[in-house]
Amino acid sequence: MLSQLTIGEVSKRSGVAASALRFYEERGLIASEREGSGHRRFPRSVLRRLAFIVFAQRIGLTLDEIGNELAKLPDKRTPSPSDWEKLSADWLERIDKQVTELRRLRAGLTNCIGCGCLSFDACWIANPNDRKGRAGPGPRSWV
């Protein structure tokens, strides 16, 4: 059996702060065993789970969504590459939507941010008499 890792070793290997590791454990996203002294010991497979958590957060999943996804993984064995592939396959549509939205925002940022604040001279066609301002605060064309 491979040796287990301390919280410090997991933090160093994963790049995730020890405080975040304790928080993730409290939320049920990762698990450790306790020694007689009360120190946490993590299986090496926790590194994959942490990589998954970090990646999932970067694409915008909430911790609740991440927990739901991780609950689909097997309990009695280390997840295989196939398990991870199945889990992440559903994210492709979400990522594609985010890419599309970011491209739309990028295009708008250089021309008009859609809120009527740049100039009435420049925005008179898209926003005559500041009608978008009556729809509410913020960049109305982009929210």
Side-chain angles (χ1 to χ4, degrees):
M1 181 176 133
L2 293 174
S3 65
Q4 294 194 325
L5 304 170
T6 66
I7 194 167
E9 291 168 330
V10 172
S11 179
K12 185 176 179 180
R13 290 279 310 277
S14 67
V16 175
S19 59
L21 296 173
R22 288 187 285 273
F23 178 73
Y24 292 158
E25 185 176 17
E26 188 177 294
R27 294 285 307 256
L29 302 177
I30 61 174
S32 69
E33 295 177 6
R34 301 291 178 120
E35 292 184 328
S37 64
H39 293 149
R40 290 172 171 86
R41 296 289 180 198
F42 293 90
R44 289 189 177 277
S45 61
V46 78
L47 296 172
R48 279 191 185 169
R49 288 179 79 88
L50 288 168
F52 178 88
I53 292 167
V54 169
F55 188 84
Q57 286 179 311
R58 286 191 156 192
I59 65 165
L61 270 72
T62 66
L63 290 180
D64 287 338
E65 290 172 313
I66 293 168
N68 291 337
E69 292 297 309
L70 289 172
K72 297 174 186 176
L73 293 173
D75 285 334
K76 305 295 182 205
R77 64 175 171 78
T78 300
S80 68
S82 174
D83 293 324
W84 292 114
E85 186 177 334
K86 288 176 193 169
L87 199 62
S88 62
D90 294 336
W91 297 2
L92 296 178
E93 183 178 342
R94 185 177 188 145
I95 292 169
D96 288 343
K97 285 180 181 178
Q98 287 177 331
V99 167
T100 299
E101 177 66 5
L102 287 171
R103 285 187 176 137
R104 188 175 77 86
L105 289 170
R106 182 178 187 210
L109 188 61
T110 58
N111 296 322
C112 174
I113 58 174
C115 65
C117 68
L118 292 179
S119 161
F120 284 111
D121 293 333
C123 292
W124 69 272
I125 294 174
N127 189 21
N129 299 316
D130 194 27
R131 77 169 181 252
K132 291 182 184 192
R134 292 188 293 278
R140 304 311 307 164
S141 296
W142 298 100
V143 290

